[in-house]
Amino acid sequence: MSELIICEKPKVAEKVAKALSDSPVKNSYKRVPYYEIEKENGEKTTVLSAVGHLFSLQAKNKKNKRLYDVEWVPLYETDKSKKYVKNYIDTIKKFSKDADRFVHACDYDTEGTLIGYNALKYICGEDSIDKTFRMKFSALTKKDLIKSYSEAYPLKDDQSWADSGEARHILDYLFGVNISKSMTDSVLNVTNRYVQLSAGRVQTPTLAILAEREKEIKKFVPEPYWLIKAKLQKDIVADHKKGKIFDKKEVDQILENCKGKDAKVTKITNKKSIKDLPYPFELGTLQSEAYAQFGFTPRKTQQIAQNLYVEGYTSYPRTSSQKLPESLGLSNILNDLAKNPKFKDKIAQLKEPFKPNEGSKTDEAHPAIHPTGTLPKDINEDYQKIYDLITYRFISLFGEVAEIESIKVDLDIGKEPFTFSRQRISKEGWLSLDPYQYKKVKNEEFPDIKEGETTKAKVKSEEKETKPPARYNQASIIRELEKRGLGTKSTRANIVSILYTRKYVEGKKITVNELGERMIDTLTKYSERITSEQMTREFENDLSDIKDHKITENNVIEEAKTELEGILDSIDDNQENIGKELFEAYEQSRIVGKCDCGGNLIIISSPKGGKFVGCSGYPNCKKTYSLPVGASVLKTTCEKCGLPLISYGKPRQRACLDFECANGGKKSTNEKVGKCPDCGEDLIKRMGRFGEFIGCTGFPKCRFTSSIADYEKSQKESNE
């Protein structure tokens, strides 16, 4: 008998093979590693892997106006950068021919289920599904993998998971491709200009939420107000109990009342409160905490957590659970963690029985995120930060409640009421187990003060302005999406990342640019369902219902096509207005400054790749400025010449758009040195941000460049 185990990633295949055998034989086929295990009864097991998705969707007939008919094809056919995927498909195909039994060992979620299901269906053949068993695991430890293998069950039991995963991909494809194509065609048909625009089933409602916040901020009119503060002895500052005061006359009256008066302590209130233990991490709270502690984007945190899982250090991260069942072997995990000195002292403080504090959120597939007990070796600083964050949180769940002591002091100054408060940790409890949380709690000194005593006071007012609503950051918009039921725990970080990639938003505190805001305005005006989070939420519920056998995949897809048909009809009916407004927004978004000739300086995409800044008055004005790869043009301007500044390089640097200005006024010599090997135009010496270099006079159509040293070396070699 021959058995084939298909994993999601090569590293997982290695771990599965080494869990099932002490001496698996590693080989490779077309540079794809695989492992062979010979059993005592003569049976043979081959363990190999995919590399994530091996197949993607494409339209069967791309010439159709509306692309509703789709099919799964090998990923390398739709993405030329993924040619290596063919070797993985060929390897699975080779070993599937003689297999009598298949094991699906990809990640246990809808996405992982679909990856393995498609590999089996389209490579091994549909009849392989009936001979396939499913491994279910939440950690890649030897114990977990052996247990999962021994308890593998028929894949057919998870058919609804595969159906739900496929339906999600088809819905995202139908909405994304068709609406994006329709918007792009609207601009092309009206202006005869090709502008690639992007929309998505979840992406566009997410952008709409951000655009709405942008509008709130722009509409906000700040209003002046005053705070009145009293500075006492020992650097104590007390606040007037009225808080924000919007009437200047009232402020003046209070200051007059307090003038020259001492502060009398009228009341001291002592209070003790319990600070309960935290809940275990699920993906959303891990992303939020990593952003707060380290400034990591949610996508970066998710990628690091996924890699820590693949290495066997932590459990599966894409979970919404706050539960840690006893079956995980929690005591054993704590014992293993105690082998590291920095965790040992913390764990020594715990009292048996070891029962973790848990939250109410559950996940049908996985427990909360936790360390496995396998200690990391040779991981970089960022990985260590996420690992420590997870591990300290895990240890703290077994601690005792902390206690916070606070005092509130009421004062009278010229018959005006003031107050100040202090708090300190009176019992550290679980806070002593988690240094990240300990530093977030105020731990202040209490002043030596008694009721009835008086002290000198100096009362002043501070003028301030009301502030607009806070901008979302990447962590807070993901929390908002979760609250509104948009996207999934696995997809939200990627959705936000796409908005940055599409250049609709920018900045750590998310700002929606002109193009993003105007696009939402236009789509909302002519086809509101595109931006509707209600429609997106309804489909999210439908996708969950597919998993629960409440509705079929075909029903959801047909419903989506009907919904999409109405949206596309509304775009067609308003094509001229939509095309004009979107193109105008696109043109406006490209403007970064003013040219000397009076035209606009705009960002232009080069035919040979990359971008540069040029004048909108071309060909009458041929002024251009080069942009380094990955550079972004900032809204701030150069103090010397008034041109925009750019941000470029790693670590990021700022410099003037005009490289001559950035180089202190050094200008290009424009000395001719030869002919361009790419286009035949003259090569000249130019001055760039990194000094003098060789460039082609055919720029921006030709972007050939060379360092002077490399050019002189090549010339010398060609003359020898």
Side-chain angles (χ1 to χ4, degrees):
M1 181 178 174
S2 177
E3 177 183 65
L4 180 63
I5 301 178
I6 301 175
C7 304
E8 190 165 325
K9 297 282 177 64
K11 189 70 178 180
V12 179
E14 179 185 3
K15 286 191 170 293
V16 170
K18 290 181 177 179
L20 300 183
S21 170
D22 292 332
S23 54
V25 178
K26 182 180 180 180
N27 290 303
S28 67
Y29 176 74
K30 292 190 174 182
R31 299 190 299 279
V32 173
Y34 66 91
Y35 302 83
E36 292 182 315
I37 301 170
E38 293 284 350
K39 299 182 180 178
E40 292 181 0
N41 59 7
E43 294 180 358
K44 178 181 173 184
T45 296
T46 302
V47 185
L48 43 67
S49 81
V51 273
H53 282 285
L54 300 176
F55 294 86
S56 65
L57 291 167
Q58 76 170 14
K60 288 184 178 179
N61 189 345
K62 295 180 181 178
K63 294 182 179 179
N64 290 343
K65 182 180 179 182
R66 295 180 180 176
L67 308 177
Y68 291 161
D69 201 4
V70 299
E71 62 182 346
W72 289 102
V73 297
L75 182 60
Y76 58 81
E77 291 184 12
T78 60
D79 186 345
K80 301 306 178 186
S81 69
K82 301 291 175 65
K83 291 180 180 178
Y84 62 87
V85 167
K86 186 177 189 304
N87 291 341
Y88 284 84
I89 290 177
D90 290 347
T91 302
I92 294 173
K93 187 174 184 179
K94 171 183 169 62
F95 289 100
S96 68
K97 291 177 181 177
D98 299 323
D100 305 302
R101 182 179 189 266
F102 298 85
V103 178
H104 183 315
C106 297
D107 287 347
Y108 192 74
D109 60 7
T110 53
E111 206 68 12
T113 301
L114 181 64
I115 288 170
Y117 185 86
N118 279 352
L120 290 158
K121 182 176 180 179
Y122 297 110
I123 303 174
C124 307
E126 281 200 58
D127 59 343
S128 68
I129 304 295
D130 294 328
K131 297 182 282 185
T132 299
F133 293 81
R134 181 71 159 112
M135 286 175 64
K136 175 184 176 181
F137 46 84
S138 294
L140 293 172
T141 64
K142 185 170 184 175
K143 178 194 73 173
D144 286 280
L145 292 172
I146 290 174
K147 184 174 185 291
S148 175
Y149 179 75
S150 65
E151 297 176 355
Y153 56 88
L155 178 62
K156 286 237 169 199
D157 292 356
D158 279 352
Q159 182 66 50
S160 66
W161 285 53
D163 292 345
S164 178
E166 181 174 64
R168 178 177 296 281
H169 276 259
I170 291 174
L171 260 61
D172 287 345
Y173 183 91
L174 293 178
F175 277 85
V177 168
N178 282 288
I179 296 174
S180 299
K181 180 176 181 294
S182 187
M183 291 193 305
T184 300
D185 287 347
S186 294
V187 174
L188 182 64
N189 292 337
V190 173
T191 67
N192 203 30
R193 293 282 299 276
Y194 178 79
V195 177
Q196 188 171 7
L197 298 168
S198 169
R201 186 179 62 87
V202 185
Q203 172 192 324
T204 303
T206 302
L207 182 58
I209 293 170
L210 294 168
E212 181 60 33
R213 177 59 56 89
E214 195 70 36
K215 282 185 172 59
E216 291 173 5
I217 292 170
K218 287 181 178 178
K219 288 178 182 176
F220 184 82
V221 178
E223 186 179 357
Y225 69 89
W226 289 263
L227 296 175
I228 299 179
K229 296 181 177 291
K231 187 173 182 181
L232 313 177
Q233 293 177 346
K234 300 177 184 177
D235 295 325
I236 296 172
V237 176
D239 299 304
H240 194 282
K241 283 190 174 183
K242 194 151 189 181
K244 295 178 181 178
I245 303 173
F246 292 88
D247 185 349
K248 184 64 168 63
K249 290 181 179 179
E250 185 178 359
V251 172
D252 293 338
Q253 184 61 57
I254 292 172
L255 292 176
E256 182 63 29
N257 293 343
C258 298
K259 190 174 181 180
K261 303 293 195 307
D262 291 338
K264 182 179 180 181
V265 179
T266 58
K267 186 179 181 182
I268 297 177
T269 306
N270 290 281
K271 184 180 178 183
K272 283 193 175 183
S273 60
I274 297 297
K275 189 165 181 63
D276 288 323
L277 278 71
Y279 295 139
F281 276 135
E282 34 87 15
L283 182 58
T285 51
L286 175 63
Q287 288 171 323
S288 293
E289 191 64 26
Y291 186 88
Q293 295 288 347
F294 318 123
F296 289 178
T297 65
R299 190 180 186 193
K300 178 177 180 177
T301 299
Q302 186 169 321
Q303 288 172 336
I304 291 176
Q306 177 70 19
N307 289 335
L308 289 172
Y309 155 72
V310 169
E311 292 293 338
Y313 302 139
T314 58
S315 64
Y316 189 70
R318 294 195 289 273
T319 176
S320 55
S321 175
Q322 295 175 323
K323 303 291 184 183
L324 289 171
E326 194 175 332
S327 59
L328 294 173
L330 302 176
S331 295
N332 292 333
I333 293 174
L334 289 169
N335 288 336
D336 289 338
L337 291 173
K339 294 173 185 176
N340 185 321
K342 73 178 179 182
F343 302 134
K344 182 178 180 180
D345 292 342
K346 308 290 185 186
I347 294 169
Q349 300 176 42
L350 304 180
K351 296 178 182 178
E352 295 190 46
F354 299 134
K355 182 171 176 57
N357 189 53
E358 297 178 307
S360 60
K361 293 172 68 175
T362 60
D363 188 300
E364 58 196 328
H366 299 283
I369 301 171
H370 62 277
T372 62
T374 301
L375 297 172
K377 296 178 181 178
D378 302 322
I379 60 175
N380 68 32
E381 184 180 354
D382 287 349
Y383 278 56
Q384 190 68 55
K385 285 178 178 178
I386 296 297
Y387 179 80
D388 287 351
L389 197 65
I390 292 169
T391 302
Y392 282 126
R393 169 61 63 92
F394 175 76
I395 294 170
S396 71
L397 302 173
F398 300 88
E400 298 178 328
V401 296
E403 292 181 3
I404 306 297
E405 183 182 359
S406 63
I407 62 165
K408 180 185 175 186
V409 180
D410 292 333
L411 304 160
D412 180 288
I413 306 175
K415 297 186 179 180
E416 293 289 345
F418 285 78
T419 186
F420 72 89
S421 59
R422 293 285 185 274
Q423 78 167 42
R424 64 187 176 195
I425 301 170
S426 55
K427 179 185 174 183
E428 291 186 340
W430 68 270
L431 288 172
S432 67
L433 307 175
D434 189 339
Y436 294 109
Q437 295 304 306
Y438 188 93
K439 69 182 182 182
K440 289 168 70 174
V441 179
K442 286 183 180 179
N443 198 16
E444 303 165 306
E445 285 189 17
F446 281 16
D448 184 13
I449 197 167
K450 296 177 182 178
E451 287 187 9
E453 70 178 49
T454 60
T455 183
K456 295 292 182 181
K458 190 173 184 179
V459 180
K460 288 186 176 181
S461 65
E462 293 180 3
E463 184 175 359
K464 294 181 177 292
E465 283 187 338
T466 53
K467 295 184 180 298
R471 294 189 182 279
Y472 290 104
N473 58 45
Q474 292 195 42
S476 62
I477 187 60
I478 284 177
R479 289 197 298 271
E480 187 69 20
L481 293 178
E482 181 180 9
K483 187 171 77 175
R484 299 191 189 203
L486 302 178
T488 68
K489 54 184 176 290
S490 303
T491 61
R492 292 181 187 114
N494 192 52
I495 289 163
V496 175
S497 179
I498 287 172
L499 294 177
Y500 280 91
T501 302
R502 302 299 188 201
K503 305 296 184 186
Y504 295 145
V505 302
E506 55 196 36
K508 284 188 175 181
K509 293 182 178 179
I510 302 175
T511 302
V512 182
N513 62 25
E514 183 80 12
L515 178 58
E517 193 174 345
R518 293 276 294 278
M519 189 172 80
I520 292 299
D521 288 345
T522 301
L523 294 178
T524 302
K525 187 192 304 183
Y526 298 110
S527 186
E528 190 174 3
R529 287 289 279 177
I530 301 176
T531 61
S532 165
E533 60 184 77
Q534 180 183 348
M535 180 188 72
T536 302
R537 188 162 44 245
E538 288 168 359
F539 279 121
E540 290 295 340
N541 293 334
D542 287 343
L543 293 170
S544 293
D545 287 345
I546 293 174
K547 286 172 66 175
D548 296 336
H549 306 279
K550 295 177 181 177
I551 192 171
T552 68
E553 176 187 355
N554 285 338
N555 285 343
V556 174
I557 292 171
E558 289 307 312
E559 181 187 342
K561 288 178 180 177
T562 301
E563 186 74 56
L564 187 54
E565 190 73 10
I567 289 172
L568 297 177
D569 283 345
S570 66
I571 294 177
D572 286 349
D573 291 343
N574 297 281
Q575 187 179 83
E576 185 171 350
N577 289 333
I578 290 174
K580 284 180 180 177
E581 291 179 29
L582 289 179
F583 183 70
E584 182 183 325
Y586 168 73
E587 288 287 275
Q588 196 68 29
S589 71
R590 297 164 69 203
I591 298 173
V592 297
K594 279 288 182 183
C595 183
D596 293 339
C597 73
N600 290 319
L601 291 175
I602 58 175
I603 297 175
I604 302 170
S605 296
S606 168
K608 289 199 170 185
K611 295 180 178 179
F612 65 96
V613 172
C615 181
S616 61
Y618 181 86
N620 295 326
C621 177
K622 297 183 179 180
K623 191 74 173 178
T624 60
Y625 300 93
S626 63
L627 284 175
V629 175
S632 56
V633 182
L634 305 175
K635 292 180 180 178
T636 50
T637 56
C638 176
E639 293 180 357
K640 296 178 184 177
C641 68
L643 285 172
L645 297 180
I646 65 166
S647 172
Y648 67 99
K650 289 185 178 181
R652 301 300 278 183
Q653 304 174 56
R654 288 189 171 196
C656 181
L657 176 65
D658 184 346
F659 53 80
E660 289 182 359
C661 177
N663 276 316
K666 293 180 182 178
K667 296 187 176 182
S668 302
T669 63
N670 292 334
E671 176 189 347
K672 292 182 182 179
V673 296
K675 295 293 183 180
C676 177
D678 288 353
C679 71
E681 294 289 329
D682 289 334
L683 292 177
I684 59 174
K685 287 186 177 181
R686 286 181 151 171
M687 184 64 68
R689 289 178 184 82
F690 306 103
E692 202 169 29
F693 70 100
I694 304 296
C696 180
T697 55
F699 178 85
K701 289 184 178 179
C702 177
R703 301 179 74 84
F704 174 84
T705 59
S706 171
S707 70
I708 291 177
D710 286 346
Y711 180 75
E712 289 176 347
K713 182 180 178 182
S714 67
Q715 290 298 102
K716 183 178 179 182
E717 289 174 350
S718 64
N719 292 331
E720 289 179 352

